Structures are given as C-alpha cells and as structure tokens.
Amino acid sequence: DTISACFQSSMELTSQVPESVIHSFFQLIVKYGMKARWLRLLIPLVVVEKDTELKPVKKNQDVVMRYLFEYENRVCLLWKDSDGWGTRHRLMHNKEHFKPIGSLLRYHVTCIRLLAACCHGKNPATEVKASGLLSLNEVLTVLMDLGIEKYPAHLGESQSVNQSQEIADLGTASGGAVATIA
C-alpha cells in the first residue's frame, strides 16, 4: 500500500516509471503466486487520481496490457468458462474473499479491476487487447450470474440476506470496474 500511495496522485512520477519496474511486478506474481496485492500495485501505475478524476497513463497501460498477454496463463485469473464459474461460486459460498491473504476470489476481482484501469481513457488498442482476454459476453455472464441462488435453502432469513448482500457487493465491486472494458 505504501508503494501504491507514492504513485496515486503523481502523474509526473508515474509517467516516469521504467518498464523494468512494471515487469518486475509480473515476475513477482509468477515467482510468489497469485496475490491480489501484486496486481493492486499496478493499478496506480496505469491510472492516476488527480482532482477526484482518474487520468490514464497511456504508456503504462500499454506496457501492463502487453505483460498481461505475455504472462496470461501465469498471471490472469478470469474464470471465463463453466469450470471457472463453478470455482467462483464455490469460493463465494465459502466466503473465501474474506481470507486476509491469498484469496483467489480477491485476485480475480483485482485482475478485472486492472483490466478496467488499463482501458480507462481513450486507448482503443488497449481496449481491443482487453477484450481478447475477457470478452464483453464473458463480462456480462460474470455480472449477471453472481451465484446467489447457489446458497442452501436452509439458511436463516437474515443470514441468507447478509450473505447475498456480501456476494452482490463483491459482484458490484468487479462490475463497476469492468464496465470500462465493455
């Protein structure tokens, strides 16, 4: 979080980040595993918050997108098929996203947020690349199928409502971000 804070609102500093630094974050993911914190470090490098607006850093968006493609099988966790959706539903049901470290569900959502950040602003080439990783149809399927109906019927009313809200919140968190991709 400290590293992210250094770049969050400094367009000058962020635009001077060398490609090798961005590459090192991808190498960390490959070496140490899919941890959402590694992807979160990349988001402030591709969009900078300035006066309550997000400003894209096109050069960094292009570099991050290129590495997302290069390391796709080792870095991207997008759960685009029925097996992936089943895994996603199971993790949501088990509240895996509440794990303090190592949540695959959080990593999945952060990956989608990073894709959305790479598409922020007017960068049509990056948008086309992003749709190659996650198509509009796949985005809509994930957003429309939050897995809420998968909860057992025997849950108490208040518990079921709370759990459904937790899942809806998680879906909204990823949905708000992926709207940019669409």
Side-chain angles (χ1 to χ4, degrees):
D1 290 336
T2 304
I3 294 172
S4 294
C6 292
F7 293 103
Q8 245 170 357
S9 48
S10 175
M11 180 64 88
E12 184 178 335
L13 181 61
T14 304
S15 61
Q16 294 177 18
V17 171
E19 183 175 329
S20 60
V21 170
I22 294 171
H23 186 246
S24 67
F25 288 126
F26 282 90
Q27 290 175 325
L28 288 169
I29 294 169
V30 170
K31 184 174 182 176
Y32 296 109
M34 294 182 173
K35 307 284 189 279
R37 67 178 174 246
W38 302 122
L39 289 179
R40 279 195 311 267
L41 290 170
L42 292 167
I43 293 172
L45 297 179
V46 296
V47 288
V48 174
E49 188 173 337
K50 182 115 171 140
D51 302 325
T52 68
E53 284 187 46
L54 292 177
K55 303 286 185 186
V57 183
K58 187 178 182 316
K59 174 190 76 115
N60 292 351
Q61 287 176 322
D62 293 340
V63 170
V64 167
M65 188 58 67
R66 188 173 79 240
Y67 285 127
L68 283 171
F69 266 93
E70 185 176 321
Y71 290 97
E72 178 180 1
N73 295 331
R74 296 177 284 169
V75 171
C76 293
L77 183 60
L78 299 173
W79 291 328
K80 307 189 274 191
D81 58 12
S82 58
D83 288 341
W85 295 325
T87 300
R88 185 174 154 268
H89 288 164
R90 183 179 45 77
L91 292 174
M92 289 166 68
H93 176 73
N94 293 335
K95 296 184 177 186
E96 192 266 356
H97 56 289
F98 288 117
K99 281 176 61 177
I101 296 175
S103 166
L104 289 178
L105 202 51
R106 279 192 205 183
Y107 186 89
H108 166 71
V109 169
T110 306
C111 192
I112 292 172
R113 285 182 175 157
L114 179 59
L115 278 173
C118 285
C119 294
H120 190 80
K122 295 182 180 178
N123 196 344
T126 301
E127 290 176 23
V128 169
K129 287 179 184 176
S131 67
L133 289 172
L134 193 64
S135 72
L136 175 58
N137 237 4
E138 292 162 338
V139 170
L140 292 175
T141 300
V142 168
L143 292 176
M144 300 305 289
D145 182 20
L146 294 176
I148 294 172
E149 73 283 351
K150 303 289 184 196
Y151 281 102
H154 69 275
L155 290 175
E157 179 65 28
S158 63
Q159 185 178 8
S160 178
V161 169
N162 289 340
Q163 288 177 336
S164 295
Q165 184 60 46
E166 290 168 2
I167 291 173
D169 291 345
L170 181 63
T172 303
S174 67
V178 295
T180 308
I181 294 174

